[in-house]
Amino acid sequence: MSVRTPSPRVPAAPRASSAVAKSLAAAVLAGGLLTAGATPAAAVVSVAPAAHPAPATVTVTGEGAASTAPDMAVLTTGVEVTEPTAKEALSAQSAASAKLLAALRKQGIADRDVQTESLSLNAVYQQDTAGGTAKLTGYQAGQAFSVKIRDIGKVGAVIQAVMDATGDAGRVNGVAFDVSDPDALQSAARKAAAGDAHDKAAQHAKLAGRRLGRLVSLTEGESGRPRPVAMPAVAYDKESVPVAPGEIEDRIQVTAVYELN
């Protein structure tokens, strides 16, 4: 009779939990199995945005002009005298300037519209041709004023009054006609310049077989206001001082950049 000894039962290995299985599967998907003792690292996936090409652009320059009749004038006038001594020159200059200012007041020019532009005193020398040395012959004193004439119809009368009051000491250095409020004139010139730039850009777009897109940038240059034209006193008729105001023109230039679609 034989007796069978039962074999010892080996306990079964514990079943891996579902959480561990999911972690292993994720590791495999991320890039391979983990080796013993390795710590899983977080996987970062980045997607670069698609590069968009820069849009085509066109750069143009627009010019605009606007004109109007002036409503004021700026007269540059003054006195200049020469005397044997500096003291006498300054005294004569002061007397002539006082006559000039009095004449302006009689013409209705307000004190706030008269401003001293320069005041000078210089020695006058005469070259001695025989000895080659310069000889002091006297002193020249002068004073210049800037005068705003707000009633443009009185420009000729004001010039005549100044010259009558100062005589040979009087000087008229220039007359500039202007507008008291230039904003409206500049706005009209600016509108014309912007329209010119748009029209040019639209034409370039059509020639290129494209459509004109949005305005990218707009840069404005300096406006071209008129400047005084110097005229000596002898240019004016002593009996009557005719003036021709003409028109005041303002010019503006802009640079515009447009996209092309």
Side-chain angles (χ1 to χ4, degrees):
M1 181 176 189
S2 63
V3 178
R4 182 178 295 177
T5 304
S7 302
R9 180 174 297 179
V10 180
R15 184 176 298 177
S17 65
S18 61
V20 175
K22 291 180 179 180
S23 296
L24 290 174
V28 172
L29 293 176
L33 293 174
L34 297 175
T35 60
T39 302
V44 179
V45 179
S46 60
V47 179
H52 296 286
T57 60
V58 59
T59 302
V60 293
T61 299
E63 296 182 352
S67 60
T68 187
D71 59 5
M72 65 172 292
V74 179
L75 169 66
T76 304
T77 185
V79 296
E80 189 177 85
V81 295
T82 302
E83 297 294 341
T85 67
K87 183 178 180 180
E88 290 174 319
L90 285 174
S91 178
Q93 174 262 309
S94 296
S97 294
K99 292 178 181 179
L100 185 150
L101 295 175
L104 292 176
R105 293 189 185 99
K106 287 183 180 179
Q107 291 295 320
I109 305 298
D111 290 343
R112 65 184 176 90
D113 290 331
V114 182
Q115 183 177 15
T116 297
E117 292 291 335
S118 65
L119 184 64
S120 63
L121 176 64
N122 300 299
V124 179
Y125 293 90
Q126 183 178 4
Q127 192 73 24
D128 187 355
T129 56
T133 59
K135 179 182 178 182
L136 177 65
T137 59
Y139 290 85
Q140 186 181 78
Q143 188 170 7
F145 300 92
S146 175
V147 183
K148 289 183 180 180
I149 306 175
R150 300 184 185 275
D151 183 356
I152 199 170
K154 298 184 66 174
V155 174
V158 170
I159 295 174
Q160 186 68 65
V162 166
M163 298 307 299
D164 289 342
T166 57
D168 292 338
R171 300 290 185 271
V172 175
N173 299 319
V175 180
F177 294 95
D178 207 344
V179 288
S180 55
D181 183 12
D183 290 344
L185 191 62
Q186 290 179 350
S187 295
R190 185 175 295 113
K191 182 179 180 181
D196 182 48
H198 181 274
D199 292 344
K200 288 179 179 177
Q203 184 180 15
H204 282 293
K206 185 177 181 180
L207 291 173
R210 310 287 287 272
R211 291 185 299 107
L212 190 65
R214 68 183 183 91
L215 176 65
V216 177
S217 67
L218 183 67
T219 306
E220 179 177 322
E222 294 184 359
S223 61
R225 302 301 304 279
R227 295 291 182 266
V229 178
M231 290 179 286
V234 294
Y236 298 98
D237 186 353
K238 294 289 288 184
E239 298 300 326
S240 176
V241 184
V243 292
E247 286 189 333
I248 299 300
E249 184 181 73
D250 200 348
R251 289 182 174 273
I252 288 182
Q253 186 178 83
V254 298
T255 301
V257 180
Y258 285 89
E259 285 186 354
L260 296 178
N261 297 330

